[in-house]
Amino acid sequence: MAKMKSGAGGVSDQSLILFGAGGDLSARMLIPALFFLDLDGLLAADFRIWGVSRREDTTEAFLAEAWRGLSENARTRAAPNSDAAWKRFQARFTYFAADATKAEDMARLRDDMGERATGEVLVYFATSPSLFGAISLALQAGGLAGPKTRAVLEKPIGRDLESARAINDAVAAVFSEDRVFRIDHYLGKETVQNLIALRFGNVLFEPLWNNLSIDHVQITIAETGGVGDRWPYYDEYGALRDMLQNHLMQLLCLTAMEPPSDLDPQAVRWEKLKVLRSLRPMDRAEVKHSTVRGQYVAGVVEGERVEGYVQERGAPTDTETYVAIRAEIDNWRWAGVPFYLRTGKRMPERRTEIVIQFKPVPHSIFAGEGRGDLVANQLVIRLQPEEDISLLLMNKTPGLSREGMRLEALPLSLSNGGKAKDGTRRIAYESLLLDALDGNSTLFVGREEVETSWAWVDGVEEAWRHAAHGPKPYAAGVWGPSAAHALTERSGRQWRE
Ligand code: BG6
């Protein structure tokens, strides 16, 4: 979806300001993503980056630290020209110590950028969202929010509808909505984009993509990692706000939306928004019946003993590290098809997938002893750990038999690889950074989407606040609390585990 305009060594006069350059996200994702784009020749020859953080540091020392992380990376190691690419990257990069919320610091930054300050500037806000408004104002006062400046906002946009609105209003005072790029890195994952290709680039699925043929949908984001020392952030958010409000909701929207007229950002956002507006509101009765929240206690994950969340945090807390929800989309296409959403930390395996569970055949002509049960078709769109789309189909077991035809379920796999030239996996941020540089906001999240999604999630939070019990414990290394299984089994369904 990224239309390349600025890369392949061309000239673009574009610059990137990265706020929060000294933070964890920059070190783990953003600087590597930028470097890998450079490595692949996708950044314009004169593209420049200013990394901004409060800490006093020199460009040399900052980059030396960044290189330590990058030189361990399989992708860097696999590239024969990575040393030369790193030299090129260093020449583009300036570290700038400043307080991004201060107009005078932003004026200093503008002076450092010279004429580039009024050219095409992408400003990446990888800071706490509580600073987004103040940073926007400081940029404006410092002369860095010209008409060609675009703002990329990291999640979380708020922790409820009210705070999300406040952040959006504060940013909107400086940047018009068409210049605001709210990033959800899940939309940069290869298989998520492939879901759009699968649904709208083929004629096969669309006639079946509705409540006549589909029994239910499951969307799972399971992580083996725990919260660890990220708890000061996490404790304020929990799994519902950290993962479900954004990543799971976006996957739900792309799975459930109507075909957009084209890939224009407005067309796609409108279809996603229609899905969010059709979600059945979560009142207290619905929340009691249709949600499960859990918190991991000590256990064993991938053969290793690990602590519970309370030990990591150092004090008891009601923050959930697991959530499962049965959501209903009240529209013609999806009436009666539950969407089961779940995400958790300290799960037995890392797995992100969308499962489209089709209905069983209306009548089996294969009935009889030893002929095998018919398994209903299942389309599994897997994002992690491997990127793969597979369709479970019933097949005749090869060979002869006097007892008649035997059947077995076999997956038809469309392994797309989703890999870079050197065989390693791309960071989701790479494709989104390219899109933002090209001004293509199709895979970014609109203001109304964010706010509509919060309004729905607030219903769940509100009910949980008034519930008699907090999250249910589950041992690290299992698929969440047992109540999560009851959630699907109650209607005769089962999580795919
Ligand atoms: C982030 C969450 O948005 O996504 C983290 O804040 C989570 O808690 C991460 O671990 C998962 O992303 P991915 O791409 O590793 O699945």
Side-chain angles (χ1 to χ4, degrees):
M1 238 145 285
K3 281 185 255 72
M4 255 282 301
K5 285 188 217 140
S6 50
V11 174
S12 72
D13 196 25
Q14 272 188 330
S15 319
L16 175 82
I17 301 174
L18 173 59
F19 290 126
D24 181 55
L25 183 74
S26 294
R28 282 187 307 112
M29 298 288 168
L30 302 177
I31 293 185
L34 287 163
F35 170 64
F36 293 137
L37 287 176
D38 208 359
L39 187 66
D40 289 347
L42 291 166
L43 296 180
D46 65 347
F47 179 69
R48 292 282 313 273
I49 305 166
W50 273 264
V52 181
S53 247
R54 264 190 287 216
R55 197 183 61 218
E56 283 302 331
D57 208 348
T58 62
T59 299
E60 292 67 37
F62 181 87
L63 285 172
E65 183 62 37
W67 180 245
R68 266 194 286 282
L70 270 170
S71 54
E72 297 296 310
N73 190 295
R75 178 109 166 256
T76 314
R77 285 169 181 258
N81 58 342
S82 62
D83 283 335
W86 181 245
K87 282 206 179 70
R88 187 167 67 221
F89 188 82
Q90 281 176 294
R92 305 180 183 279
F93 194 96
T94 304
Y95 179 79
F96 196 85
D99 181 341
T101 62
K102 291 213 170 104
E104 59 272 25
D105 283 18
M106 293 303 95
R108 271 200 303 119
L109 177 59
R110 181 200 55 212
D111 293 345
D112 200 62
M113 292 177 73
E115 280 182 12
R116 284 180 167 267
T118 50
E120 265 200 52
V121 182
L122 192 69
V123 184
Y124 201 116
F125 292 62
T127 64
S128 159
S130 58
L131 303 178
F132 289 178
I135 296 177
S136 302
L137 288 174
L139 281 169
Q140 189 175 47
L144 270 172
K148 291 200 269 173
T149 305
R150 291 191 285 265
V152 181
L153 307 185
E154 253 304 328
K155 69 162 262 272
I157 310 283
R159 65 188 299 279
D160 53 21
L161 176 58
E162 198 187 332
S163 53
R165 276 201 183 128
I167 291 169
N168 283 331
D169 283 345
V171 172
V174 177
F175 295 102
S176 53
E177 177 68 11
D178 60 324
R179 291 195 287 143
V180 178
F181 287 60
R182 291 177 198 79
I183 206 160
D184 183 314
H185 78 275
Y186 266 64
L187 297 184
K189 293 189 190 266
E190 190 75 12
T191 320
V192 174
Q193 299 181 28
N194 210 10
L195 169 63
I196 300 176
L198 183 84
R199 285 198 59 197
F200 306 122
N202 295 293
V203 78
L204 280 186
F205 291 106
E206 181 52 22
L208 306 176
W209 211 259
N210 53 46
N211 52 9
L212 296 178
S213 307
I214 294 177
D215 176 75
H216 72 277
V217 175
Q218 300 181 11
I219 309 182
T220 297
I221 306 183
E223 300 181 272
T224 50
V227 177
D229 51 18
R230 260 182 101 217
W231 71 259
Y233 153 79
Y234 194 86
D235 218 49
E236 280 281 295
Y237 288 84
L240 181 71
R241 294 180 168 116
D242 181 51
M243 297 293 284
L244 190 134
Q245 184 274 336
N246 34 70
H247 306 321
L248 273 168
M249 285 298 208
Q250 285 296 320
L251 298 183
L252 168 91
C253 284
L254 293 177
T255 307
M257 73 182 183
E258 296 299 312
S261 52
D262 53 28
L263 283 179
D264 176 75
Q266 290 312 323
V268 175
R269 285 180 189 189
W270 174 237
E271 295 306 340
K272 288 195 285 171
L273 185 60
K274 276 163 58 189
V275 174
L276 293 168
R277 286 193 183 158
S278 308
L279 281 171
R280 186 174 302 166
M282 287 300 220
D283 58 20
R284 288 191 196 175
E286 189 71 37
V287 169
K288 191 161 185 246
H289 184 71
S290 301
T291 74
V292 174
R293 55 179 163 152
Q295 187 187 82
Y296 60 82
V297 298
V300 178
V301 180
E302 294 173 325
E304 238 183 78
R305 265 217 89 67
V306 295
E307 291 186 319
Y309 179 57
V310 167
Q311 283 92 53
E312 288 174 342
R313 190 195 176 287
T317 166
D318 260 1
T319 302
E320 78 287 353
T321 58
Y322 175 96
V323 59
I325 296 192
R326 175 190 160 120
E328 302 276 349
I329 302 175
D330 288 332
N331 65 15
W332 274 47
R333 188 187 283 264
W334 296 116
V337 180
F339 280 69
Y340 293 99
L341 315 174
R342 65 175 169 166
T343 181
K345 304 252 183 226
R346 290 291 188 221
M347 298 279 105
E349 57 181 87
R350 173 166 157 83
R351 188 202 287 183
T352 301
E353 64 185 18
I354 302 169
V355 178
I356 312 293
Q357 178 64 60
F358 290 93
K359 293 189 170 170
V361 294
H363 164 73
S364 172
I365 61 168
F366 306 100
E369 193 67 16
R371 308 256 176 106
D373 286 330
L374 287 187
V375 176
N377 300 130
Q378 202 175 53
L379 177 68
V380 180
I381 299 152
R382 183 172 275 213
L383 283 67
Q384 285 161 170
E386 289 307 320
E387 300 184 313
D388 177 49
I389 297 182
S390 83
L391 179 62
L392 194 68
L393 294 172
M394 290 310 296
N395 264 274
K396 178 187 173 295
T397 312
L400 303 177
S401 161
R402 285 211 152 123
E403 278 120 48
M405 204 192 291
R406 286 176 187 274
L407 300 185
E408 61 185 344
L410 283 182
L412 187 65
S413 176
L414 253 186
S415 190
N416 68 40
K419 299 209 170 129
K421 277 183 291 192
D422 53 32
T424 55
R425 185 75 57 76
R426 282 198 180 284
I427 301 175
Y429 282 93
E430 292 175 53
S431 89
L432 295 174
L433 275 166
L434 263 194
D435 280 359
L437 286 170
D438 290 345
N440 177 0
S441 60
T442 301
L443 292 175
F444 292 80
V445 184
R447 172 175 184 157
E448 278 191 275
E449 278 173 77
V450 172
E451 294 181 6
T452 310
S453 164
W454 273 124
W456 190 77
V457 162
D458 279 358
V460 179
E461 278 291 347
E462 199 270 340
W464 281 356
R465 251 197 325 275
H466 292 92
H469 304 287
K472 295 191 160 58
Y474 63 95
V478 308
W479 288 102
S482 55
H485 293 97
L487 186 71
T488 48
E489 281 160 14
R490 212 180 292 142
S491 56
R493 296 168 171 124
Q494 265 184 344
W495 292 111
R496 186 175 182 276
E497 281 169 4

Short mmCIF file of all heavy atoms in Angstrom, two decimals, residues 172-208:
data_model
loop_
_atom_site.label_atom_id
_atom_site.label_comp_id
_atom_site.label_asym_id
_atom_site.label_seq_id
_atom_site.Cartn_x
_atom_site.Cartn_y
_atom_site.Cartn_z
N ALA A 172 -5.55 18.75 17.60
CA ALA A 172 -6.31 19.38 16.51
C ALA A 172 -6.19 20.91 16.53
O ALA A 172 -6.40 21.56 15.50
CB ALA A 172 -7.78 18.97 16.59
N ALA A 173 -5.84 21.47 17.68
CA ALA A 173 -5.66 22.92 17.75
C ALA A 173 -4.48 23.35 16.87
O ALA A 173 -4.37 24.50 16.48
CB ALA A 173 -5.44 23.36 19.20
N VAL A 174 -3.60 22.41 16.56
CA VAL A 174 -2.40 22.74 15.77
C VAL A 174 -2.40 22.01 14.41
O VAL A 174 -2.04 22.60 13.40
CB VAL A 174 -1.12 22.39 16.57
CG1 VAL A 174 0.13 22.65 15.75
CG2 VAL A 174 -1.09 23.19 17.88
N PHE A 175 -2.81 20.74 14.43
CA PHE A 175 -2.74 19.96 13.18
C PHE A 175 -4.15 19.56 12.73
O PHE A 175 -4.90 18.98 13.52
CB PHE A 175 -1.94 18.67 13.40
CG PHE A 175 -0.49 18.92 13.72
CD1 PHE A 175 -0.03 18.81 15.03
CD2 PHE A 175 0.40 19.26 12.72
CE1 PHE A 175 1.30 19.05 15.33
CE2 PHE A 175 1.74 19.50 13.01
CZ PHE A 175 2.20 19.40 14.32
N SER A 176 -4.47 19.84 11.46
CA SER A 176 -5.78 19.40 10.95
C SER A 176 -5.77 17.87 10.86
O SER A 176 -4.71 17.25 10.75
CB SER A 176 -6.04 20.02 9.58
OG SER A 176 -4.94 19.74 8.73
N GLU A 177 -6.97 17.28 10.91
CA GLU A 177 -7.07 15.81 10.97
C GLU A 177 -6.35 15.13 9.81
O GLU A 177 -5.76 14.06 9.99
CB GLU A 177 -8.56 15.42 11.01
CG GLU A 177 -8.87 13.93 11.00
CD GLU A 177 -8.44 13.16 12.27
OE1 GLU A 177 -8.08 13.80 13.28
OE2 GLU A 177 -8.45 11.92 12.21
N ASP A 178 -6.35 15.75 8.62
CA ASP A 178 -5.68 15.08 7.49
C ASP A 178 -4.16 15.06 7.67
O ASP A 178 -3.45 14.40 6.92
CB ASP A 178 -6.07 15.74 6.16
CG ASP A 178 -5.66 17.20 6.12
OD1 ASP A 178 -5.74 17.87 7.17
OD2 ASP A 178 -5.24 17.68 5.04
N ARG A 179 -3.65 15.80 8.66
CA ARG A 179 -2.20 15.77 8.89
C ARG A 179 -1.85 14.97 10.14
O ARG A 179 -0.71 14.95 10.58
CB ARG A 179 -1.67 17.20 9.00
CG ARG A 179 -1.75 17.92 7.65
CD ARG A 179 -0.91 19.17 7.65
NE ARG A 179 -1.49 20.23 8.44
CZ ARG A 179 -0.79 21.09 9.18
NH1 ARG A 179 0.52 20.97 9.26
NH2 ARG A 179 -1.39 22.05 9.84
N VAL A 180 -2.85 14.30 10.73
CA VAL A 180 -2.60 13.51 11.94
C VAL A 180 -2.62 12.02 11.57
O VAL A 180 -3.59 11.52 11.00
CB VAL A 180 -3.66 13.79 13.02
CG1 VAL A 180 -3.42 12.93 14.25
CG2 VAL A 180 -3.64 15.26 13.41
N PHE A 181 -1.54 11.32 11.88
CA PHE A 181 -1.40 9.90 11.56
C PHE A 181 -1.32 9.12 12.87
O PHE A 181 -0.27 9.06 13.50
CB PHE A 181 -0.12 9.67 10.73
CG PHE A 181 -0.22 10.16 9.32
CD1 PHE A 181 -0.48 11.49 9.03
CD2 PHE A 181 -0.06 9.27 8.26
CE1 PHE A 181 -0.59 11.94 7.72
CE2 PHE A 181 -0.16 9.71 6.94
CZ PHE A 181 -0.43 11.04 6.67
N ARG A 182 -2.46 8.54 13.29
CA ARG A 182 -2.44 7.75 14.53
C ARG A 182 -2.00 6.34 14.18
O ARG A 182 -2.66 5.67 13.39
CB ARG A 182 -3.83 7.73 15.19
CG ARG A 182 -4.23 9.06 15.74
CD ARG A 182 -5.62 9.06 16.33
NE ARG A 182 -6.09 10.43 16.44
CZ ARG A 182 -6.59 11.14 15.42
NH1 ARG A 182 -6.71 10.58 14.24
NH2 ARG A 182 -6.96 12.38 15.61
N ILE A 183 -0.91 5.93 14.79
CA ILE A 183 -0.31 4.67 14.35
C ILE A 183 -0.83 3.51 15.21
O ILE A 183 -1.01 3.65 16.42
CB ILE A 183 1.24 4.78 14.43
CG1 ILE A 183 1.92 3.85 13.46
CG2 ILE A 183 1.76 4.56 15.83
CD1 ILE A 183 3.36 4.27 13.16
N ASP A 184 -1.14 2.42 14.57
CA ASP A 184 -1.39 1.16 15.28
C ASP A 184 -0.49 0.17 14.57
O ASP A 184 -0.75 -0.19 13.41
CB ASP A 184 -2.86 0.74 15.15
CG ASP A 184 -3.14 -0.52 15.96
OD1 ASP A 184 -2.33 -1.47 15.86
OD2 ASP A 184 -4.13 -0.56 16.70
N HIS A 185 0.59 -0.25 15.22
CA HIS A 185 1.61 -0.99 14.47
C HIS A 185 1.09 -2.32 13.93
O HIS A 185 1.65 -2.89 13.01
CB HIS A 185 2.90 -1.17 15.28
CG HIS A 185 2.85 -2.23 16.33
ND1 HIS A 185 2.35 -2.01 17.59
CD2 HIS A 185 3.26 -3.53 16.31
CE1 HIS A 185 2.46 -3.13 18.29
NE2 HIS A 185 3.00 -4.06 17.55
N TYR A 186 -0.07 -2.81 14.46
CA TYR A 186 -0.63 -4.03 13.92
C TYR A 186 -1.03 -3.86 12.45
O TYR A 186 -1.02 -4.80 11.68
CB TYR A 186 -1.81 -4.52 14.78
CG TYR A 186 -1.32 -5.52 15.79
CD1 TYR A 186 -0.43 -5.13 16.78
CD2 TYR A 186 -1.68 -6.86 15.73
CE1 TYR A 186 0.09 -6.04 17.67
CE2 TYR A 186 -1.17 -7.78 16.61
CZ TYR A 186 -0.28 -7.37 17.58
OH TYR A 186 0.24 -8.28 18.45
N LEU A 187 -1.39 -2.63 12.07
CA LEU A 187 -1.80 -2.40 10.69
C LEU A 187 -0.60 -2.42 9.73
O LEU A 187 -0.77 -2.44 8.52
CB LEU A 187 -2.55 -1.07 10.57
CG LEU A 187 -3.86 -1.00 11.36
CD1 LEU A 187 -4.56 0.31 11.10
CD2 LEU A 187 -4.78 -2.15 10.99
N GLY A 188 0.60 -2.42 10.30
CA GLY A 188 1.79 -2.51 9.46
C GLY A 188 2.24 -3.95 9.27
O GLY A 188 3.19 -4.22 8.53
N LYS A 189 1.58 -4.88 9.93
CA LYS A 189 2.00 -6.28 9.80
C LYS A 189 1.55 -6.81 8.44
O LYS A 189 0.43 -6.55 8.00
CB LYS A 189 1.42 -7.13 10.94
CG LYS A 189 2.02 -6.72 12.30
CD LYS A 189 1.64 -7.67 13.40
CE LYS A 189 2.02 -7.13 14.76
NZ LYS A 189 3.31 -7.57 15.26
N GLU A 190 2.44 -7.59 7.84
CA GLU A 190 2.21 -8.07 6.48
C GLU A 190 0.87 -8.82 6.34
O GLU A 190 0.09 -8.60 5.42
CB GLU A 190 3.39 -9.01 6.12
CG GLU A 190 3.46 -9.42 4.69
CD GLU A 190 3.95 -8.32 3.75
OE1 GLU A 190 4.46 -7.29 4.23
OE2 GLU A 190 3.77 -8.50 2.55
N THR A 191 0.59 -9.70 7.29
CA THR A 191 -0.62 -10.52 7.14
C THR A 191 -1.89 -9.71 7.32
O THR A 191 -2.94 -10.06 6.80
CB THR A 191 -0.62 -11.69 8.14
OG1 THR A 191 0.68 -12.20 8.21
CG2 THR A 191 -1.56 -12.79 7.73
N VAL A 192 -1.81 -8.62 8.09
CA VAL A 192 -3.01 -7.79 8.26
C VAL A 192 -3.34 -7.15 6.92
O VAL A 192 -4.50 -7.11 6.48
CB VAL A 192 -2.77 -6.72 9.35
CG1 VAL A 192 -3.93 -5.76 9.42
CG2 VAL A 192 -2.54 -7.39 10.69
N GLN A 193 -2.30 -6.69 6.24
CA GLN A 193 -2.54 -6.11 4.92
C GLN A 193 -2.98 -7.20 3.94
O GLN A 193 -3.79 -6.97 3.05
CB GLN A 193 -1.28 -5.41 4.44
CG GLN A 193 -0.90 -4.29 5.39
CD GLN A 193 0.32 -3.52 4.95
OE1 GLN A 193 0.64 -3.43 3.78
NE2 GLN A 193 1.02 -2.95 5.91
N ASN A 194 -2.46 -8.40 4.16
CA ASN A 194 -2.85 -9.50 3.29
C ASN A 194 -4.32 -9.89 3.49
O ASN A 194 -4.96 -10.41 2.57
CB ASN A 194 -1.94 -10.70 3.55
CG ASN A 194 -1.78 -11.54 2.30
OD1 ASN A 194 -2.17 -11.13 1.21
ND2 ASN A 194 -1.22 -12.71 2.46
N LEU A 195 -4.84 -9.62 4.68
CA LEU A 195 -6.26 -9.88 4.93
C LEU A 195 -7.10 -9.02 3.98
O LEU A 195 -8.11 -9.47 3.43
CB LEU A 195 -6.58 -9.56 6.39
CG LEU A 195 -8.04 -9.51 6.81
CD1 LEU A 195 -8.70 -10.87 6.64
CD2 LEU A 195 -8.15 -9.08 8.28
N ILE A 196 -6.66 -7.79 3.77
CA ILE A 196 -7.38 -6.90 2.85
C ILE A 196 -7.28 -7.48 1.43
O ILE A 196 -8.28 -7.53 0.70
CB ILE A 196 -6.78 -5.47 2.90
CG1 ILE A 196 -6.90 -4.92 4.32
CG2 ILE A 196 -7.47 -4.55 1.90
CD1 ILE A 196 -6.27 -3.57 4.54
N ALA A 197 -6.09 -7.96 1.08
CA ALA A 197 -5.91 -8.55 -0.26
C ALA A 197 -6.78 -9.79 -0.42
O ALA A 197 -7.45 -9.99 -1.43
CB ALA A 197 -4.45 -8.89 -0.47
N LEU A 198 -6.78 -10.63 0.62
CA LEU A 198 -7.55 -11.88 0.57
C LEU A 198 -9.04 -11.60 0.40
O LEU A 198 -9.71 -12.20 -0.44
CB LEU A 198 -7.32 -12.66 1.86
CG LEU A 198 -7.98 -14.02 1.94
CD1 LEU A 198 -7.10 -15.06 1.26
CD2 LEU A 198 -8.21 -14.43 3.40
N ARG A 199 -9.54 -10.66 1.20
CA ARG A 199 -10.98 -10.39 1.17
C ARG A 199 -11.42 -9.69 -0.11
O ARG A 199 -12.47 -10.01 -0.66
CB ARG A 199 -11.38 -9.50 2.36
CG ARG A 199 -11.43 -10.22 3.67
CD ARG A 199 -12.24 -9.42 4.68
NE ARG A 199 -13.60 -9.19 4.22
CZ ARG A 199 -14.41 -8.26 4.73
NH1 ARG A 199 -14.00 -7.50 5.72
NH2 ARG A 199 -15.64 -8.10 4.26
N PHE A 200 -10.62 -8.71 -0.55
CA PHE A 200 -11.11 -7.85 -1.63
C PHE A 200 -10.37 -8.04 -2.96
O PHE A 200 -10.70 -7.39 -3.94
CB PHE A 200 -11.07 -6.38 -1.18
CG PHE A 200 -11.81 -6.18 0.12
CD1 PHE A 200 -11.17 -5.65 1.23
CD2 PHE A 200 -13.14 -6.55 0.25
CE1 PHE A 200 -11.85 -5.48 2.43
CE2 PHE A 200 -13.83 -6.40 1.44
CZ PHE A 200 -13.18 -5.86 2.55
N GLY A 201 -9.40 -8.97 -2.96
CA GLY A 201 -8.70 -9.25 -4.22
C GLY A 201 -9.13 -10.60 -4.78
O GLY A 201 -8.60 -11.06 -5.78
N ASN A 202 -10.07 -11.25 -4.12
CA ASN A 202 -10.55 -12.56 -4.57
C ASN A 202 -12.07 -12.55 -4.56
O ASN A 202 -12.68 -11.89 -3.75
CB ASN A 202 -10.09 -13.66 -3.61
CG ASN A 202 -8.58 -13.81 -3.61
OD1 ASN A 202 -7.98 -14.21 -4.58
ND2 ASN A 202 -7.97 -13.44 -2.49
N VAL A 203 -12.64 -13.34 -5.44
CA VAL A 203 -14.10 -13.39 -5.48
C VAL A 203 -14.61 -14.51 -4.56
O VAL A 203 -15.77 -14.54 -4.16
CB VAL A 203 -14.56 -13.58 -6.96
CG1 VAL A 203 -14.40 -15.02 -7.40
CG2 VAL A 203 -15.99 -13.10 -7.14
N LEU A 204 -13.71 -15.41 -4.18
CA LEU A 204 -14.12 -16.62 -3.47
C LEU A 204 -14.79 -16.39 -2.12
O LEU A 204 -15.76 -17.04 -1.77
CB LEU A 204 -12.90 -17.51 -3.23
CG LEU A 204 -12.41 -18.36 -4.38
CD1 LEU A 204 -11.30 -19.27 -3.90
CD2 LEU A 204 -13.57 -19.19 -4.92
N PHE A 205 -14.20 -15.50 -1.33
CA PHE A 205 -14.65 -15.43 0.06
C PHE A 205 -15.87 -14.55 0.29
O PHE A 205 -16.67 -14.81 1.18
CB PHE A 205 -13.50 -14.96 0.96
CG PHE A 205 -12.42 -16.00 1.06
CD1 PHE A 205 -11.22 -15.84 0.40
CD2 PHE A 205 -12.64 -17.17 1.77
CE1 PHE A 205 -10.24 -16.81 0.46
CE2 PHE A 205 -11.66 -18.15 1.83
CZ PHE A 205 -10.46 -17.97 1.18
N GLU A 206 -16.00 -13.48 -0.50
CA GLU A 206 -17.04 -12.51 -0.20
C GLU A 206 -18.46 -13.11 -0.08
O GLU A 206 -19.19 -12.79 0.86
CB GLU A 206 -16.98 -11.35 -1.22
CG GLU A 206 -18.00 -10.24 -1.02
CD GLU A 206 -18.04 -9.66 0.39
OE1 GLU A 206 -17.04 -9.79 1.13
OE2 GLU A 206 -19.08 -9.11 0.76
N PRO A 207 -18.87 -14.02 -0.98
CA PRO A 207 -20.23 -14.57 -0.83
C PRO A 207 -20.42 -15.37 0.46
O PRO A 207 -21.53 -15.60 0.90
CB PRO A 207 -20.38 -15.50 -2.05
CG PRO A 207 -19.28 -15.13 -2.98
CD PRO A 207 -18.18 -14.55 -2.17
N LEU A 208 -19.31 -15.82 1.05
CA LEU A 208 -19.40 -16.64 2.27
C LEU A 208 -19.16 -15.82 3.54
O LEU A 208 -19.32 -16.32 4.64
CB LEU A 208 -18.34 -17.75 2.23
CG LEU A 208 -18.33 -18.65 1.02
CD1 LEU A 208 -17.16 -19.62 1.08
CD2 LEU A 208 -19.64 -19.43 0.94
#
